[in-house]
Amino acid sequence: MLRKVIPVLVVCSLLVLLIVPGCGGEEGNVIKIGVIGPMQYVQGEHHWYGATMAAEEINDAGGIDVDGEMYTIELIKADSNEMTSPTDAAAAMEKLITVDGAQFVVGGFRTESVFPMIEVAMDEETIFLGCGAATESLCQLAVDDYDRYKYWFRVTPFNSTKLVSNSLMTLGMAGAIMQQGLGLEGPMTVAILAEQAEWADGMVAAYQAYVPAMLGMEVVGTWRPSATATDLNAELTAIEDSGAHLILTILSGPVGIPYARQLGELEIPCASVGINVEAQKDGFWDATEGHGNYETTLNTYAEGVALTSKTVAFIEEFQDRYDQTPTYNAGTYDAIYLLKEVIESTGTMDTDTLITALEEIDYVGAGARIVFMGTDTTTPHDVTYGPGYSTGLATQWQDGEMKAVWPNLGVGEWEGVTYEGVVMWQIPDRVIAYYTQD
Amino acid sequence: MLRRLLKDFQGDVLAIPGRLLALIFFVILFFIPLFLQGSSGSYYLRIFIFANMYVIFAVSWDLLSGYTGQLNFGHALFFGVAAYTTALLNLHLDWQPWLTIPLGALAGVIAGLVVCLPALRLRGPYLALVTLAFPLILLGIVFAFTDFTGGELGISGLDRISNSRTTDYYISVAVMIVSVMIMWKLTDARSSLVRTGIVFHAIREDEIAARASGINTIRYKLLAFAVAGFFAGIAGAFHAHFMRIAGPSNLELTLSFQVIIWTVFGGITSIYGPVVGVYILFPLMELLRVVPEVRNLIFAGIVVAMLLFMPEGIAVWVRDKIERECPRCKLSNMAFRKTCRACDTPLYERAVD
């Protein structure tokens, strides 16, 4: 009996799946915006959360005014499955635009998948506001063929080459504070600890060249543990033996947890700054059982830090709703507001008119003041980086709280650049104890 | 002449339900664009184009692992090698897809022969593990020479196959049908044209006996790997041009396992099994986008349920329901016939009173 019933059930469920997508309600004045991302991961989840927050706020306030007529926003969620399959991501994008009728798209994360997603959006002449992939080359497409790739803009994050700049400035700040606070003489010494990943290779090379050249510090060695390593005893002992004052990290994988825990447990007399994605997460303190104290990492948002006049309210609302601190992927919030801004200012939904408006926009979002790079630059439509624009943050764990510590104490064009809520970077107790002992 | 062809067609195709269904399926494929008009049509055609590429890919796995018994857990290697080859040739030498796709397929042949070298000495799980390692090695090379391969970003900006989705679709259908027909003929144990089919069967069933019978099994295993590499390469190269990117995902284990799932679901060692498997499972994943949270769960549930109740594969299960092989002359007959259409032998044993 079961042998006959199961195939029938399967066929019936397939028929239902065929019919369901065709069912739809009546449509009024609606602007359809697709939100695409890896929805099974935190990145896609935050794409959706950010966009939902913006859409609900806008709809509650009456919607978008298009030349005197009010439109409400309808979000369409698309799971790109882009971590696993770029093929799937491209199909999801095409369905979003051609079948579900998205007039604009926000989101995207993994570069290898975002490339084909951009191709689909460009084929369909649909504005695609990127909120995840940081690769510089995505914005270089328009240099060779502007007419085809003019529909692509990157709202967040700033491109990956700028991560090196921010890391170096944070390192410089920490080094200066340590020299002054501990009375250290001579050049500061730095150990580079980077996970074994292709994205880190270029950064390692840049650090090896720029740390001595720009900061006058000495690189004592480079260690490359696996991104999933669970024991860094050997690396940390070797770093301690090298006499490094600072460890410059490039860690995105789960290795960030055992690294920070063992750094504290073994009382390695080095301060740690750089990129440690695990330290950006709310659960980092518990995961390291408090040994991750003083871990410093580049970040996007921090509680109570006003990157712009809208940041604090955005983070509080996000935390209230979702009980999480937003990641940069929640920049879809700003992307939706950008669309509202240009649609209302032009009074039209004509794509070319909106592109011109986006190219000229100067908008203060929750994450940064957003101005797109000009068409005469090497990265057209990329979000502008630097003081007064998108800068990012560095955060440090200080006694169980994630505090913003950079931008602060900058030099050159960064002199005086900081935000309300940024506190002073702290030298770890173990480092103070080591250098002040008799 | 024409009358004879018509008679053969009647006897070899129309009289066999499985082949009749395959014919209807192929004919329908040519008319699909007529029913897929409007902006959403391009999305549905994209799904069919992907399905056609993956059909070639899956059938090539069936030829190698199903027919010849060379269990390959790293079939994505051929797909990826061809994708990268075609991408590099297109991007750096500006060669057009009509040239880069065959050259990509040839790179697949070379990859097949390289993998075959250890395969000559290994069998079963040992061979499977070695084949699993090859795409991982190539992935390592991709990440080691990022200036050349683009690293994790891949090589993007490839030329399109054509400027029309409908043209892309028809090219994919034509390539798929020709490829499947060639592989079907190569594996047909009853073929009077080539004897590869019966030899592949023999190697899978008992390689030592085949060798003892005077068959140069090494030559045939090399041939199987080369042919599988060629057709998987065509799929990979076509995929790269259609997506306009070749990247590490073309070599990932997920792809190697997907091809096995498609083939086993449809029916291994059948050629038409992988065709059915891909054409059901690939669009199914698209349909399941309406429930993204449980998409993979439902997919896995359906695959497991079908394999539990149709372990031989859905296509083979259906064939067994609609066809009956004559116990005497081995000719296929429609299931409702009581006697063989050729020798009149009863197709079903009479119930014993």
Side-chain angles (χ1 to χ4, degrees):
Chain A
M1 182 63 185
L2 202 59
R3 269 180 184 276
K4 288 178 180 172
V5 171
I6 292 284
V8 172
L9 279 176
V10 170
V11 171
C12 288
S13 51
L14 290 178
L15 284 174
V16 169
L17 288 168
L18 270 171
I19 294 162
V20 167
C23 303
E26 289 284 313
E27 289 180 14
N29 279 351
V30 166
I31 296 173
K32 290 185 173 183
I33 302 176
V35 183
I36 192 162
M39 296 299 171
Q40 312 302 319
Y41 294 80
V42 69
Q43 291 87 357
E45 203 176 39
H46 282 212
H47 278 141
W48 180 246
Y49 289 162
T52 305
M53 258 178 68
E56 286 179 5
E57 284 173 15
I58 292 167
N59 288 342
D60 288 348
I64 296 179
D65 183 350
V66 187
D67 202 19
E69 206 168 339
M70 297 309 287
Y71 282 69
T72 53
I73 296 174
E74 181 187 324
L75 294 180
I76 308 164
K77 189 178 189 176
D79 184 358
S80 58
N81 191 29
E82 62 195 78
M83 302 300 205
T84 317
S85 168
T87 306
D88 223 7
M93 177 63 107
E94 186 142 12
K95 178 175 182 289
L96 190 60
I97 298 171
T98 63
V99 179
D100 302 331
Q103 295 154 280
F104 308 96
V105 181
V106 299
F109 179 69
R110 181 187 175 189
T111 300
E112 193 194 339
S113 296
V114 172
F115 265 119
M117 280 155 69
I118 288 177
E119 293 294 341
V120 173
M122 302 305 108
D123 283 345
E124 300 299 331
E125 299 182 349
T126 301
I127 291 175
F128 179 16
L129 303 180
C131 299
T135 309
E136 192 174 28
S137 52
L138 290 172
C139 286
Q140 291 169 336
L141 294 166
V143 175
D144 295 331
D145 193 348
Y146 173 78
D147 284 337
R148 174 168 171 75
Y149 294 102
K150 65 185 177 185
Y151 309 93
W152 160 255
F153 290 80
R154 176 158 49 211
V155 176
T156 184
F158 47 77
N159 75 53
S160 51
T161 58
K162 305 296 189 289
L163 291 174
V164 174
S165 309
N166 281 12
S167 292
L168 289 174
M169 284 189 275
T170 312
L171 182 72
M173 176 191 72
I177 292 173
M178 279 177 72
Q179 268 189 319
Q180 201 175 10
L182 302 172
L184 299 174
E185 291 178 3
M188 298 291 285
T189 50
V190 180
I192 298 170
L193 185 91
E195 69 186 21
Q196 289 171 17
E198 193 264 339
W199 74 276
D201 295 346
M203 294 181 80
V204 169
Y207 289 157
Q208 285 168 340
Y210 293 132
V211 168
M214 291 175 64
L215 302 175
M217 296 180 178
E218 186 189 332
V219 177
V220 294
T222 302
W223 285 264
R224 303 294 301 267
S226 158
T228 53
T230 53
D231 181 13
L232 283 91
N233 208 322
E235 286 87 349
L236 290 173
T237 308
I239 288 172
E240 184 178 10
D241 292 344
S242 74
H245 297 111
L246 290 143
I247 301 174
L248 183 54
T249 56
I250 313 173
L251 307 171
S252 71
V255 65
I257 297 285
Y259 159 71
R261 193 178 57 237
Q262 289 185 311
L263 190 69
E265 274 175 351
L266 299 172
E267 301 208 330
I268 305 293
C270 306
S272 173
V273 299
I275 298 170
N276 182 350
V277 172
E278 290 294 334
Q280 298 172 351
K281 298 176 183 172
D282 294 332
F284 175 78
W285 184 261
D286 291 335
T288 60
E289 294 167 330
H291 291 294
N293 204 10
Y294 305 111
E295 179 66 3
T296 307
T297 179
L298 298 189
N299 216 327
T300 312
Y301 300 107
E303 200 175 336
V305 176
L307 294 165
T308 70
S309 55
K310 298 174 183 171
T311 315
V312 174
F314 165 70
I315 295 174
E316 284 175 0
E317 175 68 16
F318 195 96
Q319 287 176 328
D320 280 351
R321 281 177 180 235
Y322 308 115
D323 204 23
Q324 295 174 42
T325 305
T327 64
Y328 69 87
N329 302 103
T332 46
Y333 179 85
D334 284 340
I336 302 280
Y337 269 104
L338 270 179
L339 288 172
K340 174 182 185 288
E341 192 77 10
V342 290
I343 291 170
E344 289 189 337
S345 66
T346 58
T348 177
M349 282 195 282
D350 173 65
T351 309
D352 284 333
T353 310
L354 294 179
I355 288 170
T356 308
L358 282 169
E359 287 172 346
E360 292 167 356
I361 202 167
D362 187 342
Y363 173 77
V364 177
R369 173 185 161 207
I370 298 167
V371 176
F372 292 108
M373 299 288 281
T375 51
D376 55 345
T377 64
T378 53
T379 53
H381 296 184
D382 202 352
V383 63
T384 305
Y385 164 84
Y389 298 97
S390 182
T391 62
L393 291 172
T395 53
Q396 184 182 33
W397 282 92
Q398 296 180 355
D399 299 325
E401 286 184 57
M402 194 198 291
K403 301 275 191 186
V405 292
W406 184 90
N408 200 8
L409 306 177
V411 292
E413 64 169 337
W414 288 84
E415 192 172 343
V417 176
T418 191
Y419 299 111
E420 189 187 322
V422 171
V423 301
M424 196 58 80
W425 183 80
Q426 291 183 1
I427 307 170
D429 287 340
R430 60 178 186 274
V431 178
I432 295 172
Y434 181 82
Y435 285 103
T436 55
Q437 68 189 359
D438 291 326
Chain B
M1 176 73 178
L2 195 67
R3 189 173 292 175
R4 194 181 160 186
L5 270 175
L6 202 66
K7 202 177 169 190
D8 285 350
F9 178 73
Q10 208 169 1
D12 291 345
V13 179
L14 298 183
I16 303 172
R19 290 186 188 174
L20 185 61
L21 280 177
L23 179 70
I24 293 168
F25 171 69
F26 287 149
V27 170
I28 288 173
L29 283 184
F30 278 98
F31 290 102
I32 276 177
L34 301 178
F35 302 104
L36 297 176
Q37 301 296 325
S39 64
S40 62
S42 64
Y43 162 68
Y44 294 112
L45 285 181
R46 171 184 284 272
I47 302 308
F48 282 112
I49 291 168
F50 280 139
N52 289 332
M53 286 180 250
Y54 288 138
V55 160
I56 301 170
F57 185 45
V59 172
S60 71
W61 185 86
D62 195 24
L63 180 146
L64 181 63
S65 299
Y67 278 91
T68 323
Q70 306 301 302
L71 203 54
N72 186 357
F73 275 9
H75 208 57
L77 175 80
F78 310 144
F79 192 91
V81 163
Y84 271 101
T85 304
T86 198
L88 290 168
L89 292 174
N90 180 248
L91 215 63
H92 296 302
L93 301 178
D94 208 20
W95 291 357
Q96 295 306 298
W98 62 265
L99 184 59
T100 58
I101 292 176
L103 289 173
L106 284 179
V109 171
I110 295 166
L113 295 175
V114 169
V115 176
C116 187
L117 294 176
L120 296 175
R121 291 179 172 274
L122 299 169
R123 274 181 225 160
Y126 304 101
L127 173 64
L129 280 176
V130 168
T131 54
L132 188 68
F134 274 95
L136 298 178
I137 293 168
L138 195 64
L139 264 181
I141 294 171
V142 164
F143 288 123
F145 300 97
T146 52
D147 289 345
F148 193 58
T149 62
E152 64 184 327
L153 310 182
I155 304 168
S156 58
L158 311 186
D159 285 338
R160 290 174 186 282
I161 291 166
S162 79
N163 287 323
S164 150
R165 183 61 55 84
T166 309
T167 310
D168 283 350
Y169 171 78
Y170 278 118
I171 293 172
S172 75
V173 168
V175 172
M176 185 271 282
I177 291 176
V178 171
S179 301
V180 170
M181 293 305 284
I182 292 172
M183 285 189 273
W184 172 62
K185 221 51 205 162
L186 285 172
T187 53
D188 184 5
R190 294 174 196 171
S191 172
S192 53
L193 287 173
V194 285
R195 67 171 200 150
T196 47
I198 191 107
V199 176
F200 287 163
H201 279 271
I203 291 172
R204 185 194 64 222
E205 294 301 324
D206 193 336
E207 192 179 340
I208 295 169
R211 212 179 305 154
S213 307
I215 295 169
N216 186 344
T217 56
I218 291 175
R219 200 170 67 184
Y220 280 96
K221 276 161 83 171
L222 279 168
L223 181 69
F225 270 95
V227 171
F230 180 80
F231 286 106
I234 284 184
F238 198 107
H239 186 274
H241 276 291
F242 183 68
M243 289 280 286
R244 304 194 69 196
I245 186 168
S249 62
N250 296 144
L251 288 162
E252 279 173 3
L253 290 180
T254 321
L255 191 61
S256 293
F257 287 120
Q258 251 175 348
V259 77
I260 300 172
I261 294 170
W262 288 327
T263 308
V264 174
F265 181 87
I268 198 166
T269 324
S270 63
I271 295 296
Y272 51 83
V275 180
V276 174
V278 171
Y279 257 90
I280 289 178
L281 292 183
F282 191 74
L284 172 69
M285 277 304 269
E286 284 302 314
L287 292 174
L288 288 172
R289 283 192 193 280
V290 292
V291 281
E293 294 82 6
V294 288
R295 188 176 174 222
N296 288 328
L297 192 68
I298 295 178
F299 177 81
I302 289 174
V303 171
V304 170
M306 294 299 266
L307 291 180
L308 207 60
F309 294 96
M310 303 170 189
E312 65 277 61
I314 190 167
V316 178
W317 182 83
V318 171
R319 184 202 63 190
D320 290 348
K321 297 287 174 205
I322 59 174
E323 281 182 19
R324 186 79 187 174
E325 191 179 67
C326 172
R328 188 174 164 207
C329 69
K330 306 294 179 194
L331 206 66
S332 291
N333 291 272
M334 290 197 181
F336 63 78
R337 287 186 69 96
K338 290 195 171 77
T339 57
C340 175
R341 62 192 161 96
C343 63
D344 219 25
T345 304
L347 295 174
Y348 299 92
E349 284 179 24
R350 288 195 185 110
V352 181
D353 294 328

